[in-house]
């Protein structure tokens, strides 16, 4: 072992310790349903009150409603009414029903039955606008009542009318509801009669109107047909259509346009090439013809030859410059030759440029001429197309008017024959009878619906009330915040926590210190669950690098110190040498749990008044030593930041297998974060039904910010008599018969690190405070 500070450990996932076979997780989603049932049972009075209130309100409202009777009349749509004139003579007022238009026709006729026009016919026929009982006029107002308008009474009729198409048939049910059963019958039959009468009148009026219109159209179309023939003849004479057809003229113009377009394209390509070459030559003249690398210069053989001679002369000049000065005759003669070559290159380039410019102007002129010729040819083609369109329009107009004239003349004759026919495509099947049983209100249905609605509303309110609780209630809540669960600790004082002893009517807590329950009751459910946590820690520290760790919580009074003390006892019971250090320098209580003197401890060692070995105290638990807090300092956080504290940790680490530090809650002060950054890991104690999700989330974030290794969470103060945990806890007691009925010191397993559910208290003792 070394006294140097430990290296940070890689994060590990705690061993998932599940329940024994047949425990809660073996049922899967069954326990989700059980949890919901438990939640509803806890809020059963809310559900019951809401159900009774809603059902009572619905029943009161239903019983106060007047009785309503419904009369039903049946009619049929006949798509093939009688045709005395045969099937070839079509009735201008009868629709031609096809399988694709039947639905639209039926829906349209249904809307007509419920229309305001039919309702007004019924009101006038039965005098309903003068019936105060039908219109709902109170008896005290009828003395001075003068009647209502037909329109108002028609709207009342429409409000009580329902038209229903019988599926897969041509039958339609006309339903009418009223407080008076006989009046309901009369109105239902009157609606059917009024609708049939309306269809007959509409057919006759449509036929007469169509005949009048057809007669007028025959005269007008005859004159329009004559005008169309005259216009077509005049166009042929004016444009000489008979000497050369429109198609031949179009072919000539099209060939000319094609030839001009091809020539113009070739000329335009040639002009573009010349333009590019002229541009390159101009750039070469403006810069330096000798150094220009454009394709136009490279194609000039004379220029390339002069460039070659120039390079040779320049090489000779460079060779002579090493032996002679600039004024030497050979140097002067050679420089003169070079200047002459330069002048010849520039002259050659300019000569080629002038030739190319002349050729470019010629190409541009040719292009303009071809473009003008193509424009004229296109104009001629457009004009010819216009003539062809006008000619086609005149022909189509003449043919169309001739076809329409023949059709209208034929339909006029048919309409004149069908004018005297009185047939319709609707017939009455069953007239309405006087109804005997009211259709509303439906007492049984309304009451059942009220009970169901009240029950659903009560359940919803109960679930919403449960959802609004932000406290940690089960292991899934902890894991949902990103923390692994090392195990759970049952509520001390419950039957599940203390084992069979409590079932014999004796309270184990009465003769035991809850801080030392793992020592005084080693076979209890609490001790068994603490051994599960110890096993998880053993797997996490299998590499020997988990030596010193701190126990903290999010808030005060969550059982942090009690869990730390009992976990240290459990580690010592496994044969390890364990040291528990009370670093809660504000509210220490470890020494009180063991009945030790706290005059010397952590603070005396840190200020140099004692050596680390001198402040170690032995306890009644074999293998477990304790370092008390010592005098409470005014600056706890500053002491934990000192080099003396780091040396204090190293000195203790060398002497023990495990060194556990009890620290203040992280939500109150930062001491736990300071400790966690210097140790091998940190355990967070989460109290069931007390710690909130927000507090636990902030705690995890603070530990991550300081780079601490979070070993996991211990779910404390779990009530195992409710929810998912109860079955696994009593496994040994109830199922396996692990203990005899009167055996001393039994306890439950606690279900490990899996499972969840609502763990609300049921009269058990409260969790230990920090």
């Amino acid at each position: 072992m070394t006294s140097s500070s430990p290296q940070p450990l890689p994060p590990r996932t705690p061993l998932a310790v599940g329940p024994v076979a047949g425990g809660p997780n073996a049922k899967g989603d069954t326990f989700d349903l059980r949890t919901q049932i438990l939640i509803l049972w806890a809020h059963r009075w809310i559900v019951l009150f809401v159900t009774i209130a809603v059902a009572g309100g619905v029943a009161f409202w239903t019983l106060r409603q007047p009785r309503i009777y419904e009369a039903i009349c049946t009619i049929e749509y006949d798509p093939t009414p009688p045709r005395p004139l045969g099937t070839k003579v079509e009735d201008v007022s009868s629709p031609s029903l096809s399988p694709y238009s039947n639905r639209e026709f039926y829906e349209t006729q249904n809307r007509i039955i419920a229309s305001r026009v039919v309702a007004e016919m019924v009101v006038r026929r039965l005098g309903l606008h003068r019936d105060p009982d039908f219109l709902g006029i109170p008896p005290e107002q009828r003395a001075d009542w003068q009647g209502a308008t037909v329109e108002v009474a028609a709207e009342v009729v429409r409000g009580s009318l329902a038209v229903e198409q019988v599926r897969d048939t041509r039958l339609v049910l006309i339903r009418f509801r009223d407080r008076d059963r006989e009046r309901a019958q009369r109105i239902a039959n009157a609606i059917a009669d009024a609708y049939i009468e309306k269809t007959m009148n509409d057919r006759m009026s449509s036929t007469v109107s169509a005949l009048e219109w057809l007669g007028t159209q025959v005269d007008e179309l005859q004159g329009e047909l004559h005008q169309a023939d005259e216009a077509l003849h005049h166009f042929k004479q004016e444009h000489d259509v008979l000497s050369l057809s429109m198609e031949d003229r179009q072919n000539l113009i099209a060939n000319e346009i094609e030839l001009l377009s091809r020539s113009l394209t070739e000329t335009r390509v040639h002009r573009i090439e010349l333009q590019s070459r002229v541009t390159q030559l101009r750039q070469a003249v403006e810069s330096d013809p000798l150094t220009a690398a454009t394709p136009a210069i490279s194609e000039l053989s004379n220029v390339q030859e002069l460039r070659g001679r120039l390079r040779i002369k320049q090489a000779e000049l460079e060779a002579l410059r090493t032996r002679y000065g600039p004024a030497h005759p050979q140097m002067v003669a050679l420089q003169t030759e070079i200047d002459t070559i330069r002048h010849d290159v520039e002259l050659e380039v300019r000569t080629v440029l002038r030739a190319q410019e002349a050729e470019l102007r010629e190409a541009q002129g040719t292009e303009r001429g071809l473009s003008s010729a193509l424009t004229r040819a296109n104009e001629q083609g457009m004009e010819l197309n216009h003539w062809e369109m006008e000619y086609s329009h005149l022909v189509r107009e003449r043919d169309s008017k001739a076809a329409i004239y023949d059709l209208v003349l034929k339909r006029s004759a048919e309409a004149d024959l069908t004018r005297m026919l009185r047939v319709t495509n609707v017939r009455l099947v069953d007239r309405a009878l006087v109804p005997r049983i009211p259709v509303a209100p439906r007492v049984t249905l309304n009451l059942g619906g009220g009970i169901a609605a009240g029950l659903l509303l009560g359940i919803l309110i109960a679930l919403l009330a449960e959802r609004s609780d932000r406290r940690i209630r089960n292991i899934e809540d902890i894991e949902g915040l990103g923390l692994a669960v090392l195990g759970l600790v049952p509520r001390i004082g419950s039957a599940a926590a203390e084992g069979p002893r409590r079932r014999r009517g004796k309270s184990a807590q009465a003769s035991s210190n809850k801080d030392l329950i793992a020592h005084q009751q080693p076979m209890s459910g609490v001790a068994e669950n603490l051994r599960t946590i110890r096993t998880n820690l053993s797997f996490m520290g299998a590499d020997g690098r988990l030596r010193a760790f701190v126990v903290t919580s999010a808030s005060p009074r969550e059982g942090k110190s009690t869990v730390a003390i009992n976990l240290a006892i459990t580690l010592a019971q496994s044969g390890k040498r364990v040291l528990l250090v009370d670093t809660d320098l504000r509210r220490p209580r470890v020494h009180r749990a063991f009945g030790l003197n706290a005059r010397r401890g952590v603070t005396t060692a840190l200020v140099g008044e004692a050596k680390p070995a001198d402040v170690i105290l032995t306890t009644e638990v074999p293998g477990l030593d304790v370092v008390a807090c010592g005098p409470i300092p005014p600056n706890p956080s500053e002491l934990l930041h000192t080099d003396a504290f780091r040396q204090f940790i190293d000195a203790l680490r060398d002497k023990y297998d495990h060194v556990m530090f009890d620290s203040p809650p992280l939500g109150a002060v930062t001491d736990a974060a300071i400790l966690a950054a210097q140790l091998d890991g940190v355990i967070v104690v989460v109290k069931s039904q007390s710690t909130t999700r927000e507090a636990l989330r902030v705690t995890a974030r603070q530990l991550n910010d300081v780079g601490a290794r979070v070993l996991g969470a211990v779910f404390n103060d779990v009530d195992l008599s409710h929810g998912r945990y109860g079955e696994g806890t009593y496994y040994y007691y109830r199922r396996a018969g692990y203990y005899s009925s009167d055996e001393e010191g039994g306890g439950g397993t606690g279900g490990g690190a899996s499972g969840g559910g609502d763990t609300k208290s049921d009269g058990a003792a409260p969790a230990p405070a920090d």
Side-chain angles (χ1 to χ4, degrees):
M1 288 182 245
T2 178
S3 60
S4 60
S5 299
Q7 298 296 323
L9 297 176
R12 293 174 179 263
T13 302
L15 178 66
V17 181
V20 294
N25 275 1
K27 295 185 179 180
D29 294 339
T30 303
F31 288 91
D32 293 334
L33 178 59
R34 177 184 299 176
T35 301
Q36 300 300 327
I37 294 175
L38 289 173
I39 292 173
L40 296 178
W41 179 252
H43 298 282
R44 57 190 179 276
W45 296 114
I46 295 178
V47 177
L48 182 60
F49 174 77
V50 173
T51 302
I52 293 175
V54 174
V58 172
F60 178 76
W61 176 83
T62 300
L63 295 177
R64 289 181 58 88
Q65 299 302 308
R67 293 186 177 184
I68 303 298
Y69 297 90
E70 183 179 72
I72 303 175
C73 180
T74 307
I75 63 174
E76 178 189 5
Y77 296 140
D78 188 2
T80 58
R83 292 191 175 186
L85 299 178
T87 58
K88 294 185 178 180
V89 179
E90 296 183 3
D91 189 351
V92 296
S93 62
S94 297
S96 178
L97 297 181
S98 65
Y100 303 101
S101 61
N102 280 345
R103 180 177 300 176
E104 290 78 5
F105 172 77
Y106 294 155
E107 184 63 25
T108 302
Q109 297 305 310
N110 294 341
R111 296 297 181 90
I112 293 175
I113 295 174
S115 65
R116 180 172 52 86
V117 175
V118 174
E120 290 179 356
M121 292 174 63
V122 173
V123 168
R124 291 189 179 94
R125 181 172 298 177
L126 300 180
L128 298 177
H129 56 298
R130 293 186 297 272
D131 187 346
D133 184 64
F134 172 74
L135 296 175
I137 305 300
E140 61 272 11
Q141 299 180 6
R142 295 180 182 179
D144 300 330
W145 187 67
Q146 301 296 326
T149 61
V150 175
E151 291 77 10
V152 172
E155 291 301 323
V156 176
V157 171
R158 296 180 65 192
S160 302
L161 173 63
V163 181
E164 178 184 351
Q165 179 82 37
V166 180
R167 187 175 181 180
D168 298 330
T169 68
R170 299 193 300 269
L171 300 178
V172 175
L173 304 180
I174 300 176
R175 302 175 180 269
F176 189 83
R177 293 187 176 188
D178 194 80
R179 295 185 299 273
D180 189 323
R181 64 181 73 190
E182 295 180 355
R183 185 169 58 209
Q185 177 209 20
R186 293 197 306 270
I187 295 178
N189 291 328
I191 291 174
D193 295 338
Y195 168 67
I196 295 175
E197 182 181 351
K198 181 180 184 306
T199 58
M200 188 71 69
N201 294 336
D202 291 343
R203 177 185 175 278
M204 295 304 299
S205 61
S206 299
T207 303
V208 173
S209 300
L211 185 59
E212 294 176 353
W213 181 82
L214 289 173
T216 304
Q217 292 299 314
V218 168
D219 297 336
E220 294 180 357
L221 290 174
Q222 187 176 10
E224 293 176 359
L225 179 60
H226 178 72
Q227 293 177 0
D229 289 334
E230 291 292 333
L232 181 60
H233 179 71
H234 178 72
F235 179 84
K236 290 181 177 181
Q237 287 183 338
E238 182 178 358
H239 297 90
D240 195 16
V241 174
L242 297 177
S243 60
L244 188 61
S245 66
M246 286 290 181
E247 184 178 357
D248 293 339
R249 292 187 179 184
Q250 287 178 341
N251 291 336
L252 292 176
I253 295 297
N255 293 334
E256 182 180 358
I257 291 174
E258 181 182 2
L259 179 60
L260 292 174
S261 297
R262 185 167 54 253
S263 301
L264 179 60
T265 301
E266 294 173 355
T267 303
R268 186 168 295 164
V269 170
H270 181 59
R271 190 263 302 167
I272 293 173
E273 293 176 352
L274 292 175
Q275 184 70 47
S276 176
R277 189 176 295 110
V278 168
T279 301
Q280 293 176 7
L281 291 173
R282 287 175 180 173
Q283 291 176 352
V285 171
E286 292 175 357
S287 58
D288 187 1
L290 295 174
T291 60
T294 60
I297 298 298
S298 302
E299 295 174 357
L300 302 178
S301 58
N302 294 337
V303 174
Q304 296 302 320
E305 181 180 357
L306 292 174
R307 282 184 172 180
R309 291 173 54 194
L310 179 62
R311 285 193 292 270
I312 294 173
K313 296 300 180 180
Q314 286 177 343
E316 293 177 358
L317 181 64
E318 291 298 327
L320 292 177
R321 185 172 289 134
T322 59
R323 293 183 296 171
Y324 306 111
H328 192 274
Q330 291 185 10
M331 293 289 290
V332 173
L334 194 56
Q335 184 64 46
T336 301
E337 291 182 12
I338 290 173
D339 294 341
T340 302
I341 293 173
R342 287 179 178 274
H343 180 268
D344 292 343
V345 170
E346 182 177 356
L347 182 61
E348 182 66 23
V349 172
R350 290 184 180 277
T351 301
V352 173
L353 175 60
R354 287 192 295 271
Q356 293 292 323
E357 289 176 344
E359 188 175 355
L360 175 61
R361 288 191 294 271
E362 181 182 356
Q364 289 174 342
T366 303
E367 182 182 359
R368 286 193 294 271
L370 290 173
S371 179
S372 299
L374 180 61
T375 300
R376 290 191 298 271
N378 286 328
E379 291 176 353
Q380 292 177 2
M382 293 299 294
E383 185 178 4
L384 184 60
N385 287 337
H386 178 71
W387 290 355
E388 195 272 337
M389 291 172 58
E390 186 176 357
Y391 176 76
S392 299
H393 173 72
L394 292 174
V395 173
R396 287 195 303 270
E397 185 176 2
R398 192 274 312 273
D399 295 341
S400 175
K401 290 185 180 300
I404 294 174
Y405 175 75
D406 294 340
L407 177 61
V408 171
L409 187 61
K410 178 182 177 181
R411 294 293 292 168
S412 178
E414 292 176 353
D416 193 23
L417 292 175
T418 59
R419 179 174 52 181
M420 295 179 292
L421 295 178
R422 294 186 59 83
V423 294
T424 181
N425 56 357
V426 181
R427 66 185 183 89
L428 186 62
V429 178
D430 290 326
R431 301 190 70 84
L433 301 177
V434 177
R436 298 181 178 275
I437 301 174
V439 296
R442 298 183 179 181
V443 179
T444 304
L445 180 62
N446 291 352
L447 188 58
I451 295 174
L455 183 61
L456 292 177
L457 182 60
I459 292 174
L460 179 61
I461 293 175
L463 294 178
L464 289 177
E466 186 69 18
R467 287 282 184 178
S468 63
D469 188 358
R470 300 297 297 167
R471 296 175 297 177
I472 299 295
R473 296 172 296 173
N474 50 53
I475 287 177
E476 283 79 2
D477 292 343
I478 301 175
E479 294 176 341
L481 297 175
L483 291 178
V485 179
L486 297 173
L488 59 84
V489 177
R491 175 168 296 176
I492 298 175
S494 64
E498 297 183 8
R501 176 183 301 182
R502 184 168 183 109
R503 295 199 301 276
R504 295 198 305 269
K506 300 177 182 179
S507 174
Q509 189 176 352
S511 60
S512 301
N513 183 355
K514 60 187 177 183
D515 289 335
L516 303 179
I517 189 171
H519 174 60
Q520 297 175 352
Q521 299 183 41
M523 301 303 293
S524 65
V526 174
E528 184 65 29
N529 280 272
L530 289 168
R531 285 191 284 273
T532 299
I533 300 173
R534 181 189 66 191
T535 303
N536 281 335
L537 290 176
S538 299
F539 277 102
M540 297 180 68
D543 55 0
R545 301 179 65 186
L546 183 58
R547 300 285 301 281
F549 53 90
V550 60
V551 179
T552 186
S553 63
S555 304
R557 305 188 65 81
E558 293 185 348
K560 165 187 60 62
S561 297
T562 300
V563 171
I565 294 170
N566 284 282
L567 183 57
I569 293 173
T570 306
L571 289 172
Q573 289 173 347
S574 66
K576 303 289 185 179
R577 299 185 67 248
V578 181
L579 177 64
L580 177 60
V581 183
D582 191 353
T583 50
D584 190 346
L585 305 183
R586 291 172 171 82
R587 296 179 60 188
R589 61 182 296 270
V590 173
H591 64 284
R592 291 199 299 271
F594 293 95
L596 301 175
N597 194 329
R599 287 180 297 178
R600 295 199 308 173
V602 176
T603 56
T604 55
L606 294 182
V607 298
E609 296 181 0
K611 296 181 179 179
D614 297 335
V615 297
I616 298 176
L617 303 175
T618 59
T619 66
E620 60 185 277
V621 180
L624 175 61
D625 294 336
V626 170
V627 176
C629 169
I632 297 177
N635 55 345
S637 299
E638 287 74 6
L639 285 178
L640 299 179
H641 270 300
T642 61
D643 293 335
F645 183 71
R646 285 189 286 272
Q647 295 172 3
F648 177 75
I649 295 174
D650 295 337
L652 298 178
R653 190 197 302 267
D654 293 339
K655 297 181 179 181
Y656 293 89
D657 296 321
H658 294 291
V659 181
M660 185 184 303
F661 292 81
D662 180 24
S663 71
L666 191 56
V669 291
T670 60
D671 296 5
I674 299 172
L675 286 168
Q678 304 179 59
L679 301 177
D680 299 337
V682 56
I683 296 175
V684 181
V685 176
V686 180
K687 184 178 180 181
S688 174
Q689 296 293 330
S690 177
T691 305
T692 63
R693 293 183 178 89
E694 290 73 14
L696 186 57
R697 185 182 293 109
V698 172
T699 298
R701 186 186 304 117
Q702 288 178 331
L703 293 174
N704 289 330
D705 290 343
V706 299
R709 180 192 180 192
V710 181
L711 302 176
V714 173
F715 195 27
N716 187 33
D717 194 34
V718 180
D719 186 359
L720 298 179
S721 62
H722 293 284
R724 303 182 184 182
Y725 307 108
E727 185 175 350
T729 301
Y730 292 118
Y731 179 84
Y732 294 113
Y733 304 151
R734 299 178 179 177
R735 298 188 178 182
Y738 186 82
Y739 299 111
S740 62
S741 59
D742 296 328
E743 185 177 349
E744 180 73 11
T749 62
S754 62
D758 194 357
T759 58
K760 294 187 176 182
S761 62
D762 188 19
D770 273 351

